Amino acid sequence: MEASLAALQKGGDVLFLLLGAVMVFAMHAGFAFLEVGTVRRKNQVNAFVKILSDWSVSTVVYFLIGYPISYGVHFLMPAADLMGNNQGYELVRFFFLLCFAACIPAIISGGIAERAKFWPQVFAGAIFAGISYPIFESIIWGQNSAGLQGFFENTFGAPFHDFAGSVVVHSIGGWLALPAVLILGPRMGRWIRGRSQAIPISNIPFLALGSWILAIGWFGFNVMSAQSLGGVSGLVAVNSLLAMVGGVLFALVASKNDPGFVHNGALAGLIAICAGSDLVHPIGAFFVGGIGALIFVYGFQYEQEKLKIDDVLGVWPLHGVVGTWGGISAGIFGTSAFGGIGGVSFMSQLAGSLLAVVYAVATGFVVYKLIDMVAGFRLDEEREFNGSDLSVHQIGAYPEESVK
């Protein structure tokens, strides 16, 4: 009987985490449609192919290099040994955490859209998913976490807390994208004689579909971060819901009903709540998400019109800055004074969040600068003018329109 119950528990954990992996895997379709809806028609095919290609490369490099760096576990052994006595739990854990690692190039893709070369970015994504991201993952969640987390606990009273990746995933991805966007420069025609010329997006329904797919998959991203059936938390689920709703409503008001901001506001709320979703009160989650949406709405406008940074999908403010807010907010709303569970330190959250910023910006600048020097990172003017679809893939999103 005990053996049967143990086997059932192990099987339940495998199924639980597998369902989470599938839900987060589906989020990559959300990344794709969000980008496809935001870029112009002549760059839609490129967005789809980039996301799928980056996913596939990320799978290989994270399997062979990244996961061993993060957790000290490799899979170069007979299949029987991979199954072990836990029904292959480590394999589905790899699948689940791969979905997080593969978010890094997917996030960056939206910032560099419409003017980046294809293969140099695939190579950059491989470096990030296989090396750069796993190194940071290892010191927060993985095999090397004892040193840094021990330092935070000894110095500030609690380790750095990031339950589902506001900082480890989203902040890292958004801040990695910033050097890439700066090195590329703006798209042709984005500013003329210093004056802003907005480039219209192609498809609001696709943008909305991308947001919806991401939002639904996010419940796998957050809830299944427990990584076992016994650790599942209804608090995480409801906090994710309230943060998403807070993001929508705050963005709705702040943007005066702009559909792009409203649908991205939902994502801002979900990004912000990842870190403290297992700690904060649902009312606190609503405000964490709402403030995250305000950061995105006003941050995107400031980025575009004041700083003149052509970040097509606004991935730096959305994932980078809001992800940083998410890490810091866990140290505010996660405390018992704000109705949270407690056991978290504001200073640990601040220090850990800022460490991610420094690490990502430095890493991104080095990688993209080297790529630009060696292979070139930007399409030439003719290829950019014609669009990535024809220039890179030799086919447009609507082929029948070219048939005479």
Side-chain angles (χ1 to χ4, degrees), residues 5 14 29 62 65 69 72 84 117 141 151 187 223 237 259 316 319 326 330:
L5 289 175
V14 170
Y62 193 69
I65 305 170
I69 289 175
K117 290 182 178 179
W141 291 339
F151 169 78
R187 290 169 290 175
V223 175
W316 172 44
H319 294 273

Side-chain angles (χ1 to χ4, degrees), residues 122-397:
V122 170
F123 180 70
I127 293 174
F128 295 141
I131 301 174
S132 301
Y133 169 80
I135 289 173
F136 193 81
E137 181 183 25
S138 76
I139 65 173
I140 302 298
W141 291 339
Q143 64 171 333
N144 299 314
S145 61
L148 182 63
Q149 294 287 34
F151 169 78
F152 284 145
E153 186 167 8
N154 292 332
T155 306
F156 303 122
F160 176 71
H161 187 89
D162 189 3
F163 181 73
S166 288
V167 173
V168 176
V169 180
H170 296 284
S171 177
I172 289 288
W175 286 98
L176 278 172
L178 180 60
V181 172
L182 294 175
I183 290 170
L184 277 174
R187 290 169 290 175
M188 295 170 57
R190 179 62 182 88
W191 283 276
I192 299 177
R193 299 185 184 90
R195 299 185 64 179
S196 177
Q197 304 291 323
I199 296 177
I201 65 178
S202 62
N203 195 306
I204 291 290
F206 275 0
L207 184 156
L209 176 63
S211 175
W212 274 105
I213 294 172
L214 283 164
I216 293 169
W218 224 294
F219 288 87
F221 197 99
N222 284 1
V223 175
M224 271 70 165
S225 284
Q227 298 187 32
S228 70
L229 190 59
V232 68
S233 166
L235 182 65
V236 174
V238 172
N239 280 344
S240 301
L241 175 65
L242 266 293
M244 183 195 78
V245 170
V248 170
L249 296 178
F250 277 60
L252 182 69
V253 174
S255 71
K256 300 179 181 178
N257 300 339
D258 181 281
F261 281 126
V262 169
H263 285 91
N264 278 287
L267 306 183
L270 287 161
I271 290 166
I273 198 57
C274 287
S277 56
D278 62 329
L279 294 178
V280 307
H281 189 278
I283 295 175
F286 177 83
F287 286 101
V288 168
I291 294 169
L294 294 181
I295 291 171
F296 173 65
V297 171
Y298 296 117
F300 182 77
Q301 294 170 347
Y302 186 80
E303 175 193 42
Q304 297 285 321
E305 303 306 327
K306 299 296 184 181
L307 300 179
K308 291 184 168 56
I309 297 175
D310 190 16
D311 175 1
V312 180
L313 269 68
V315 298
W316 172 44
L318 180 59
H319 294 273
V321 182
V322 174
T324 301
W325 157 244
I328 295 170
S329 70
I332 302 171
F333 290 93
T335 62
S336 56
F338 282 85
I341 289 177
V344 66
S345 162
F346 173 78
M347 289 304 300
S348 291
Q349 296 307 116
L350 179 63
S353 300
L354 294 180
L355 175 64
V357 173
V358 174
Y359 177 79
V361 170
T363 304
F365 180 80
V366 170
V367 170
Y368 282 114
K369 196 64 179 177
L370 288 174
I371 286 174
D372 193 42
M373 292 170 59
V374 173
F377 190 32
R378 182 164 181 156
L379 294 170
D380 61 45
E381 288 189 2
E382 181 179 0
R383 289 175 177 269
E384 182 180 342
F385 179 80
N386 291 333
S388 298
D389 292 359
L390 296 180
S391 298
V392 177
H393 309 285
Q394 291 78 52
I395 192 169

